[in-house]
Amino acid sequence: MTQTARRDVDPSTGEAAPPAFESLDPRTGEVVGRHPIHDEADVAAVVREARQAQTAWAELGFAARKQHLDAWRRMLARRLDEIAGLVCAETGKPLDDAKLELVLVIDHLHWAAANAEKVLKRRKVPAGFLMANQAATVEYLPLGVVGVIGPWNYPVFTPMGSLAYALAAGNAVVFKPSELTPGVGAWLARSFAEAVPDHPVLHVVTGYGETGAALCTSGVDKVAFTGSTATGKRVMASCAQSLTPVLVECGGKDALIVDVDADLPAAAEAAVWGAMSNAGQTCIGVERVYVVDAVADRFLELVTERARKLRPGGEPNAHLGPITMASQVDVIRGHIDDALRGGGRAVVGGEHSVRPPFVEPVVLTDVAADSEAITEETFGPTIVVQRVRDADEGVAQANSSRYGLGGTVFSRSRGLELARRLRSGMVSVNSVISFAAVPALPFGGVGDSGFGRIHGADGLREFTRSQAVTRTRFAMPLNPMSFGRSKGTVRRLVRLVRLMRGR
Ligand code: NAD
């Protein structure tokens, strides 16, 4: 949580210090830290610094960059408790959830550093029969400076999907963390500077949306944005002015399908964890469940049993923490109200479950298909369980959303088949959210969930430009790309292509 900016006066000079803002603990309202509000000029200066450092970083090559990134990774592992404490303070999430986030971060950083060379280095490709005299190669070169704009819900894991992969590819990064979690962003940049003192290629700028907007127009070579769909559209529009490429990771309304032969206790456990962990503030959280009618009663019983046991609170061992962004409480309340007004039933909790800053688990069922609880991202510990005739209808309902981020299928016999038919970027079969923890798998969505990919080989390439090179090995007897070509050259080539490719 944040508090509005105020100008301080520097007592030694009597001059106004740069405006600053405070990050607050959403559980208590206590001040966690104070950070500058960087304006356009500040952002431009930081981007210049990053650009200066980037050349040497790119020239280091993969092996030396890996050593530096490994040093940073080891430092994160050593100081895991310290950064987890800060994540906890700025988001309010339970301590073990913050630690789990960091475990994933460390594994991703390891993967990006270890695989960058294999994925990006120059490699030969076949030159084809028309260009048989050429040696053809492709290499993935860094873009330069990448601007990363992040959300607050997973304030380390989410940006690290861009930071680790962009840095491993040889870019410098300027990171603008959410105004709710600026301390976490600043900590990451400080720890990088300590671990890699000779290469200042990770910088942080702090502030509100305006600081992010300034990063979009600062001349960075790419913007990697993670946040809401509405802001993603603004970022893309702003980047369009300078044709700055963008990667847009936005919201979701992920569905879980429970087939008739599913392991019901496992599916219920996954639904409740997927929907309620991190108080439902997960882009790939489960927001909708489509369960086959024949097993729906039993499944709802199992979900109800589990959800009723969950306790939100501020203490480190609570099951779920508060709603980090105060304004989201009204959205969550609105979705519950809308579902109930439209004829839906609450089998766990209800309107009374909203007790800011906490929301107790809410399980809704028989909700109208056009209710906001079905169509819009709720981002709270709520879940809508809908009955469907069969898993095929479940797929159709799941795909009726304008979002398409992740998805989950529980089925013993049709898991992969159903997964493949979901219009989403990622799917877990017989578990939930697992794809995010596999560093080799690309992560990203379709539709209103955005485009572009972080993680995996695709995530490394996302922060590069491919460069295609051909090198002439010997002169061809037929050279059609010369004013000196003979009259018969193209005729012979046409004959050749008909023979080779015309059948
Ligand atoms: P948000 O869109 O409010 O803010 C995201 C970031 O954008 C913040 O740093 C903010 O300061 C900045 N920003 C705001 N206005 C800007 C502008 N005009 N130009 C540039 N930057 C600007 O989102 P949030 O509330 O921080 O995060 C929650 C959202 O993020 C949810 O919708 C969630 O689903 C989504 N999310 C998506 C993923 C994913 O990988 N797809 C991961 C985590 C969160």
Side-chain angles (χ1 to χ4, degrees), residues 10 17 31 44 53 78 85 130 136 142 163 168 256 276 288 308 394-395 412 440 500 503:
D10 184 333
V31 174
R78 269 198 314 277
L130 290 173
L163 300 187
L256 181 152
M276 315 283 177
R288 302 174 289 156
R308 281 213 175 111
V395 169
R412 284 199 168 95
M500 304 280 292
R503 288 178 295 172

Side-chain angles (χ1 to χ4, degrees), residues 180-233:
L180 275 66
T181 53
V184 172
W187 191 98
L188 282 177
R190 266 198 320 274
S191 65
F192 185 88
E194 268 180 55
V196 191
D198 297 336
H199 293 278
V201 286
L202 174 58
H203 296 257
V204 159
V205 290
T206 49
Y208 298 96
E210 292 76 19
T211 306
L215 188 55
C216 295
T217 54
S218 65
V220 289
D221 300 287
K222 181 155 191 166
V223 170
F225 168 81
T226 308
S228 63
T229 303
T231 311
K233 289 178 184 173

Side-chain angles (χ1 to χ4, degrees), residues 60-79:
L60 275 182
F62 293 107
R65 277 203 300 273
K66 178 179 181 309
Q67 279 181 9
H68 289 302
L69 291 173
D70 286 348
W72 188 35
R73 169 173 53 78
R74 284 191 293 271
M75 177 183 279
L76 294 183
R78 269 198 314 277
R79 293 167 63 181

Side-chain angles (χ1 to χ4, degrees), residues 149-153 158 176-179 207-209 212-213 216 225-229 231 234-235 249-252 282-283 325 377 379 405 443 449 454:
I149 301 175
W152 46 264
N153 59 338
T158 292
K176 148 69 177 89
S178 164
E179 52 271 41
Y208 298 96
C216 295
F225 168 81
T226 308
S228 63
T229 303
T231 311
R234 281 197 283 277
V235 164
E249 299 282 358
C250 298
T282 303
C283 55
M325 185 168 70
E377 184 180 53
F379 232 51
L405 194 54
F443 184 105
S449 295
I454 53 172

Side-chain angles (χ1 to χ4, degrees), residues 185-378:
W187 191 98
L188 282 177
R190 266 198 320 274
S191 65
F192 185 88
E194 268 180 55
V196 191
D198 297 336
H199 293 278
V201 286
L202 174 58
H203 296 257
V204 159
V205 290
T206 49
Y208 298 96
E210 292 76 19
T211 306
L215 188 55
C216 295
T217 54
S218 65
V220 289
D221 300 287
K222 181 155 191 166
V223 170
F225 168 81
T226 308
S228 63
T229 303
T231 311
K233 289 178 184 173
R234 281 197 283 277
V235 164
M236 196 173 164
S238 161
C239 288
Q241 302 304 311
S242 51
L243 271 187
T244 302
V246 285
L247 177 154
V248 195
E249 299 282 358
C250 298
K253 191 73 192 171
D254 287 3
L256 181 152
I257 293 170
V258 186
D259 199 1
V260 70
D261 64 351
D263 175 341
L264 291 183
E269 187 63 38
V272 172
W273 167 262
M276 315 283 177
S277 62
N278 206 32
Q281 303 164 112
T282 303
C283 55
I284 46 172
V286 175
E287 299 227 350
R288 302 174 289 156
V289 174
Y290 295 104
V291 54
V292 173
D293 209 19
V295 294
D297 287 341
R298 179 66 190 136
F299 176 77
L300 255 178
E301 264 172 38
L302 291 166
V303 165
T304 303
E305 212 174 83
R306 284 164 172 74
R308 281 213 175 111
K309 286 188 193 141
L310 301 182
R311 197 171 32 81
E315 61 280 14
N317 61 351
H319 293 111
L320 22 148
I323 301 307
T324 307
M325 185 168 70
S327 59
Q328 195 66 23
V329 170
D330 289 336
V331 175
I332 299 167
R333 189 189 286 115
H335 287 192
I336 299 169
D337 287 355
D338 195 55
L340 298 179
R341 254 201 324 273
R345 288 185 298 124
V347 290
V348 176
E351 280 143 324
H352 58 275
S353 306
V354 181
R355 293 185 297 106
F358 300 102
V359 175
E360 285 160 4
V362 177
V363 179
L364 299 162
T365 189
D366 302 333
V367 174
D370 62 352
S371 165
E372 286 175 347
I374 298 266
T375 60
E376 303 294 328
E377 184 180 53
T378 307

Side-chain angles (χ1 to χ4, degrees), residues 425-441:
M426 297 90 55
V427 187
S428 290
V429 176
N430 296 334
S431 73
V432 71
I433 306 183
S434 310
F435 48 74
V438 178
L441 281 177

